[in-house]
Structure formats: structure tokens, C-alpha cells
Amino acid sequence: MRFAALLLLTAALSFAQPRYPLDWARLEPELLDRFTELLRIDTSNPPGNETRAAKAIEAVLAREGIASKLFAMDPARANLVARIKGNGSKRPLLIMGHTDVVGAPRERWTVDPFAAIRKNGVIYARGTVDDKEHAVAGMMILILLKRMKVPLDRDVIFLAEAGEESDTPFGINFMVKDHWPEIEAEYALAEGGAMVEVNGKVHHLLLGTTEKMANNIRLVARGSAGHGSRPTLDNAVVHLAQAVARAGTWSTPIRLNETTRAYFEGLAAVSPRDEAARYRAVLDPQHAAEADRYFRAHDPTTYSLLRNSIAPTILKGGFRENVIPSEAEATLNVRLLPGENLADFMADLRRVIDDPAVQVIPPSTVGRPPAPPSRMDTEMFRALEQVGRRMFGASALPNMLTGSTDMAQLRAKGVQAYGVGPVVKPEEGPLGLAHADDEHISVESLKSFFEYVWNSVIEVAAHR
């Protein structure tokens, strides 16, 4: 008993103080230099051109004496892998960040999206929060582990991947299929989490443990073509409009899973009374409908967390003002909860639309694979919780992303993968300013994110 108590005390004390503390103020210029260098490389996808970013990272690592490898299905779209070796007593930890970014129409930005403009302690650039901060964090952690000669129980692997925004065959799919031994790991850290700030302080952390599955379902309505002056009952545009309205206003059933149940329980424990009551109501079948109506009107992220969601995104039909077209088409962006069956969902959708003139067509390609949630009882999850409590005095909550990440492919291979991320405002949701015009991150948020990831890596990888 005394020995067990001593072990528990030792473990508690090890989390009470950071191991291998760093002078982050002194490191700030280097961190910002590496970050802005990567931000200034235009890797808009399409076309990507991620090899430019991979080679820039390769050069930085080489100057530190760290070898890296490039893997490319397309020479212009390389992935980079680097590794700091441990003693092998534990399986590796993978840190992953993607180097491609979505496009940034210059006319919608107040600054050049690839100039990495810094003003008033804030850096403006495409990729500041999606996802070059993770790429730089992975690169810098390897550099710091080597500089400080940290003895490791497990290898720490860094993957700077291509194609996350839309072209997974070039990135994670290619690495998993053709180069799995290079990135195989017990744990992974990537995008898909956040530090939620309330009144200027980190209020709670969101740790991504699972995510919804994206599917683009097509609706095609067909009818008779004709002159616009002679309205017909089988007008394809009318049938399509009615089908889109039925699908878009369909409130699918509430379905909780292990992650979302734990999330709402944890969020209720740290929220003001009125908000906490709504989160608890979601867990109670007798009161869930009332809370759900509130979320539908005021909180689309929470509304989506509770169900399979449908968002009409594209409409096509007609070619002249005075011609009734014979065909019209819509795209529904559907996000299914983990474990849901697409065929069953489509059968329900056909019943809701209830129109033989409208064909419901399944996705033409398979997106990210279905995967089990990452567990909440692992050494990695506990470390992320404890470091968050130590650094911010904040609770960590498991989170299901309504969007998609390349952790799905890792989870499908058995990796326990967790989403972490920088500070966001509550109204921004866990994805923060990803894909937004004038995307930006504060210098303080960037530093706290790097410190959080560093401390978490040390807790699970450094030898005790």
C-alpha cells in the first residue's frame, strides 16, 4: 500500500511541474521566424505545390542535424517525415500538420494573405490556424528535443503532409497505403482541437477524439423541357426546390455517443447556470427537444454535434431564362455521426423527400474512412488533460469535430489520435478562423499552443 501510494504521489508531482522547461520568451523570435517563413510559401490547394514547403522544412531540419525524407506520389506534392529516436521501450508518437491551405481570394482580404503581416501582436496569413501552426510545432519540437538531448522512451515522428484540404490521395492516404512503417505510431497529435477562451483566459480545452464522416449526396430532379411561358406540373426546378427544402429543414434525430455525452457532461460542469442547464437537458430525453430548438436557432455547431446533419451547398439547373429545363441538380453536404450507416441514412432521406421525380444519388467517391473514436483512458489523453490543468487551470473535454481531418485514416489503423489547437473564441467553434478571410492568430496564442504541445510530448515521450 505504501509503495502504491508513493507511486501515485510521484506521478502527481511529475505533472505538477513541467519537465524540460523552456524559455519561451527567448525562443519567440525563432518560433515566429520559422512560422512566417512557412506562411509566406503559397501552398493554396489547388494546386498545392506542397513540395516547396516540404523542402523549406527539410532545410531547417538539416541545419539542426536532423535527417528527413520526402515521399511524393506527385513530385510537386511531397510529404516530409522526420524522426527523433527513443530507446524503443514504448511505441512512437506522431505529430502531424498539413502544409496545404485553402485558397485566399486577395480581393476579400485586407492584407496580402501570403505576406504574413504582423500588427498589434497578431499575424495575418492564410494557414495561421489551418494548419501551418501544427507543421511548425512538429518541426520545432524535433529541433528542441535534439538540442536539449532529451532521452526518450519512444520515437517522436513528425509528418508534414500534403493534400489534407481536398486531395488525401496525395497525402495521408499515400503515406498510410505505401509508407505506413514511416509513420506508424501508438499516439498522434494533429489539428482538430482548441483552447476555448472566455474573458481573456483559457476556459476549457477541446481534445478531438472523433469526427463526423463527410458525404456529398446529389439530388437530381427530372421533368419535361418546355417554354417558360407554359408552366408544367413536372418542372424539374420546382421538384428540386421542394426536395432541397425538405432535406434542408429535416431535423434528424438526436443521437449521443460516448464522446458527445462526456463532452456535454463536462461542459455543463464548467458553464454558467443557464448554459449548463441546456447542456444537461440534452442528456435528458424528456427535455432534449427544447434545448435542441435553442441550438438550432443560436448554436449551429452544437446542433450539428447532436445528429447527422444536412446542408444544401450547390444548385444547378437551367441555361436560359425562358426555358424550363429537363433536369436540375443539388448537392447536399451530409455529415454522419461515427458508426452511422450511409445506406440507411439515404433510405431515410428518400422517405423525407418523398418524390419519385427526384433521384437521391450516393457519393461517387469514398472520403475519409469510418474509424472508431480515440480512447479517453490512455496515457496521451491523461497527459493532455494534466498539462492543460497545469498551464491554464482549465478542464479538458473530449470533442467530436463536425468537420473532417486526416486523423480518420490514422484511427482506422488503430492509432489513438487526438486533436489539439490554439486559442479560439466560443463563437468561432472548435475550427476557429479556419478558411476565414483575414485568417489570423495572436503571437501569445501561438506561443501557448507550442508550449502546450511541447509539455504534452515530454510527458508521454521523455524518459522518467
Side-chain angles (χ1 to χ4, degrees):
M1 288 292 293
R2 296 170 98 185
F3 181 66
L6 181 61
L7 283 177
L8 289 172
L9 178 61
T10 302
L13 289 173
S14 73
F15 278 120
Q17 297 296 327
R19 301 163 64 205
Y20 299 98
L22 293 167
D23 186 341
W24 293 99
R26 185 178 175 186
L27 277 169
E28 180 179 323
E30 181 181 6
L31 295 173
L32 295 182
D33 284 347
R34 299 289 84 79
F35 190 47
T36 53
E37 284 169 10
L38 201 58
L39 291 172
R40 287 172 180 149
I41 300 172
D42 185 349
T43 50
S44 298
N45 183 5
N49 291 323
E50 296 94 332
T51 297
R52 297 172 58 202
K55 285 188 173 296
I57 295 170
E58 180 184 45
V60 173
L61 293 174
R63 289 196 293 271
E64 299 287 336
I66 299 173
S68 58
K69 301 177 184 177
L70 299 185
F71 301 92
M73 191 167 77
D74 177 334
R77 312 203 63 182
N79 304 272
L80 175 141
V81 178
R83 180 186 299 251
I84 299 293
K85 296 285 289 183
N87 62 26
S89 60
K90 295 181 179 180
R91 294 173 58 209
L93 164 66
L94 173 68
I95 307 170
M96 185 167 71
H98 64 86
T99 55
D100 65 321
V101 298
V102 296
R106 178 64 181 86
E107 68 275 7
R108 298 180 190 170
W109 285 59
T110 61
V111 297
D112 181 343
F114 296 101
I117 301 297
R118 192 190 321 172
K119 53 184 178 181
N120 301 321
V122 176
I123 303 169
Y124 293 82
R126 178 59 89 213
T128 49
V129 296
D130 188 16
D131 178 41
K132 290 183 177 178
E133 81 281 20
H134 284 82
V136 173
M139 176 179 68
M140 287 304 304
I141 283 171
L142 260 60
I143 289 170
L144 295 169
L145 288 172
K146 187 172 191 302
R147 284 182 190 170
M148 298 181 71
K149 299 182 173 62
V150 178
L152 299 172
D153 284 338
R154 63 175 90 232
D155 293 3
V156 177
I157 308 168
F158 167 48
L159 168 63
E161 55 155 334
E164 191 276 344
E165 291 296 353
S166 63
D167 312 299
T168 52
F170 294 97
I172 193 64
N173 289 4
F174 173 62
M175 295 303 300
V176 168
K177 178 178 179 290
D178 293 351
H179 301 287
W180 179 241
E182 298 287 343
I183 62 171
E184 185 177 4
E186 180 177 12
Y187 301 126
L189 299 178
E191 64 178 338
M195 306 172 188
V196 181
E197 181 182 277
V198 177
N199 297 325
K201 294 178 61 178
V202 174
H203 181 263
H204 60 274
L205 286 79
L206 297 176
L207 305 179
T209 58
T210 190
E211 57 194 53
K212 297 176 84 173
M213 298 176 289
N215 296 274
N216 290 313
I217 293 174
R218 293 166 55 224
L219 305 182
V220 178
R222 296 181 175 89
S224 302
H227 198 284
S229 65
R230 298 191 296 272
T232 58
L233 290 176
D234 67 344
N235 185 312
V237 173
V238 173
H239 282 268
L240 180 70
Q242 292 171 341
V244 169
R246 288 170 185 158
T249 57
W250 177 28
S251 189
T252 54
I254 292 176
R255 291 177 182 164
L256 296 169
N257 54 44
E258 183 184 13
T259 294
T260 52
R261 189 173 293 279
Y263 167 75
F264 285 115
E265 289 172 350
L267 195 56
V270 297
S271 296
R273 185 171 61 182
D274 289 349
E275 294 176 23
R278 278 193 290 270
Y279 298 136
R280 291 191 182 97
V282 165
L283 304 170
D284 181 353
Q286 291 186 334
H287 299 93
E290 182 180 352
D292 190 44
R293 285 191 292 271
Y294 175 89
F295 295 134
R296 179 73 185 251
H298 303 286
D299 188 347
T301 298
T302 300
Y303 180 81
S304 182
L305 285 174
L306 291 169
R307 57 181 30 84
N308 299 322
S309 62
I310 305 171
T313 54
I314 299 174
L315 294 173
K316 300 177 185 177
F319 67 98
R320 288 193 58 158
E321 298 92 336
N322 61 348
V323 176
I324 297 172
S326 60
E327 186 171 295
E329 179 179 326
T331 298
L332 307 179
N333 187 249
V334 172
R335 305 286 172 142
L336 295 182
L337 295 167
E340 292 286 302
N341 182 278
L342 176 62
D344 290 344
F345 176 84
M346 290 188 61
D348 290 340
L349 178 60
R350 289 187 180 99
R351 283 192 288 271
V352 168
I353 291 174
D354 190 25
D355 187 344
V358 177
Q359 184 181 7
V360 182
I361 302 174
S364 57
T365 58
V366 177
R368 291 172 172 88
S374 297
R375 300 200 322 269
M376 292 176 271
D377 61 352
T378 64
E379 181 185 5
M380 186 79 253
F381 191 88
R382 288 192 295 271
L384 293 166
E385 284 184 306
Q386 295 284 356
V387 171
R389 191 171 295 116
R390 184 178 72 211
M391 287 183 61
F392 309 110
S395 298
L397 310 179
N399 184 55
M400 179 181 71
L401 267 187
T402 56
S404 302
T405 74
D406 285 352
M407 286 188 290
Q409 288 88 332
L410 298 178
R411 291 186 181 119
K413 293 286 286 185
V415 178
Q416 300 302 302
Y418 302 99
V420 295
V423 169
V424 300
K425 309 291 185 185
E427 62 273 15
E428 295 169 355
L431 297 178
L433 295 170
H435 300 190
D437 296 337
D438 283 347
E439 182 182 343
H440 60 269
I441 191 171
S442 73
V443 172
E444 288 306 310
S445 173
L446 188 69
K447 286 196 301 181
S448 65
F449 170 66
F450 286 164
E451 184 177 359
Y452 176 70
V453 177
W454 166 260
N455 287 334
S456 299
V457 169
I458 288 296
E459 289 299 335
V460 298
H463 181 69
R464 293 187 180 276

